[in-house]
Amino acid sequence: MSIVAGCSDATEKTVVNVVPAGSLLGPMETMEAEYEALHPDIDIRSEGGHGSIQCIRQVTDLHRDFDVVIVADESLIPDMMYIPPREDGNETYAVSYTPLARNEMVITYTNLSRYNDEITEENWMEILCRPDVRTGISNPMLDAAGYRGLMVLLLAENHYGTEGLFDTIVTRNLAQEPVVVRNGSAAEVILPEMMKTSGPGLVIRDGSVHLLSLLEAGGIDYAFEYRSVAEEHRLHALSLPPEIDLSSPAYADLYDDINVSLCYQRFSSIGSERTGRPIVYGITVPTTATHPKEAEEFAAFVLQSMAAGYDTWPPRPYSVTNIQS
């Protein structure tokens, strides 16, 4: 019996649970396979489909045993994991993180989208404001791509000197209108606690990846997504100027003029205000990790893989720019 038990223990794998932002599901599949091939004693298990805020709340609110957290907005980690003490009173949920990758916001569409043969980088604002067009964003209360989509609209108003873009696409289609406070080029959006739509022009889903099936089926015409997601799913992607696509550190001062306040009750004391900044992903090993050593080793592999570039990972030709570049 002891010999049998010993053999069983020898073949048992250590499970490392990872919760990545939905926009990293494709790359994670590749990294999991590569890492497990190199480390046959490790079983990497990723749980996908979450927005970045949801990823963190799996650890801080639901107290689930995740060893690695990867989010699409690095600032969420200190805001939501450094400050609140753990329920056991020992320490916070994270004490450090590492910047991981950059990305950019684009407007995605398909051949089923209304006016897909008309839309250009010059007229997209007019197209999205048409009464029969349906635009999708992810829920900013749960997903970084959601509040970044709102930021893009407000930055576009500044960049093009166009008023009413945000109100036409967002405000008029919400059951409870957000409050928008403008002061020159600066703008703050105070969102209602419940992001429910009342008009046909806006569709909201929990995460940006949940908009893809609607987009591909023609249920919505356009969606604010990350470029890497658009390329992975082979969607049309309308490029935006770097002044508004949240991609460039050179325009950080412009992005910083835009704030989105999340009025969800959970954020009454932490993480309630999201400020415009260049998109940077972040990775951390929570202090509650069940296998911290193995988690740190996998996190290091993720960082190394990102540094090598996704273009070296067949069959995925898309790329999220490495933060070190």
Side-chain angles (χ1 to χ4, degrees):
M1 291 293 291
S2 61
I3 294 175
V4 173
C7 292
S8 176
D9 291 341
T11 59
E12 186 175 348
K13 295 185 177 184
T14 299
V15 175
V16 176
N17 292 304
V18 183
V19 58
S23 56
L24 285 177
L25 290 182
M28 280 302 301
E29 290 181 4
T30 302
M31 286 188 284
E32 283 181 36
E34 290 183 353
Y35 193 79
E36 289 175 349
L38 294 170
H39 302 83
D41 59 327
I42 299 295
D43 180 12
I44 303 295
R45 296 183 185 177
S46 293
E47 180 173 295
H50 297 299
S52 290
I53 291 175
Q54 285 180 306
C55 289
I56 291 176
R57 293 183 65 205
Q58 299 300 311
V59 174
T60 61
D61 289 23
L62 302 181
H63 308 297
R64 299 182 62 196
D65 295 328
F66 282 105
D67 299 291
V68 180
V69 176
I70 312 176
V71 293
D73 182 351
E74 61 170 348
S75 70
L76 289 170
I77 296 174
D79 280 1
M80 298 185 69
M81 300 185 77
Y82 286 11
I83 299 174
R86 282 170 25 184
E87 288 193 348
D88 58 16
N90 288 334
E91 53 187 322
T92 59
Y93 287 95
V95 295
S96 66
Y97 77 91
T98 304
L100 184 62
R102 295 193 181 102
N103 214 326
E104 67 182 79
M105 297 301 294
V106 297
I107 297 172
T108 56
Y109 62 101
T110 72
N111 291 336
L112 297 177
S113 302
R114 291 177 178 86
Y115 313 112
N116 71 83
D117 57 342
E118 294 183 35
I119 194 166
T120 67
E121 295 177 11
E122 289 72 38
N123 71 3
W124 67 267
M125 292 180 294
E126 185 269 324
I127 296 290
L128 265 60
C129 286
R130 291 181 181 178
D132 56 342
V133 168
R134 305 188 76 197
T135 301
I137 65 167
S138 55
N139 191 336
M141 303 293 185
L142 306 174
D143 189 28
Y147 54 75
R148 285 171 170 155
L150 304 182
M151 291 173 179
V152 167
L153 292 173
L154 291 169
L155 287 166
E157 289 188 356
N158 290 341
H159 182 67
Y160 295 105
T162 301
E163 295 182 1
L165 180 65
F166 184 91
D167 289 342
T168 300
I169 296 174
V170 180
T171 302
R172 296 178 188 175
N173 288 292
L174 288 178
Q176 184 179 350
E177 293 187 358
V179 176
V180 183
V181 180
R182 294 179 172 88
N183 182 13
S185 63
E188 179 184 10
V189 179
I190 304 171
L191 296 176
E193 184 168 344
M194 300 300 294
M195 292 290 293
K196 291 185 177 181
T197 58
S198 59
L202 184 67
V203 173
I204 299 175
R205 292 292 182 268
D206 284 353
S208 61
V209 293
H210 300 307
L211 294 167
L212 299 178
S213 58
L214 281 175
L215 191 64
E216 291 167 345
I220 57 176
D221 301 297
Y222 301 94
F224 287 92
E225 295 280 358
Y226 297 115
R227 177 170 293 281
S228 63
V229 173
E231 293 182 0
E232 178 186 357
H233 292 271
R234 295 177 172 82
L235 300 169
H236 297 307
L238 187 76
S239 296
L240 301 167
E243 291 89 341
I244 71 175
D245 71 0
L246 300 173
S247 70
S248 175
Y251 295 105
D253 288 345
L254 289 180
Y255 306 156
D256 188 61
D257 281 340
I258 308 300
N259 290 280
V260 176
S261 292
L262 312 176
C263 287
Y264 188 63
Q265 187 176 1
R266 171 61 189 165
F267 305 130
S268 59
S269 60
I270 57 165
S272 60
E273 185 173 291
R274 312 314 317 157
T275 300
R277 64 186 68 207
I279 296 170
V280 178
Y281 287 61
I283 186 170
T284 188
V285 174
T287 57
T288 53
T290 304
H291 303 290
K293 176 178 178 293
E294 291 82 359
E296 293 285 359
E297 291 172 352
F298 178 68
F301 176 81
V302 171
L303 289 164
Q304 182 181 16
S305 299
M306 298 289 278
Y310 290 142
D311 56 338
T312 63
W313 300 355
R316 304 184 184 280
Y318 61 91
S319 174
V320 177
T321 307
N322 175 259
I323 188 64
Q324 299 173 15
S325 61

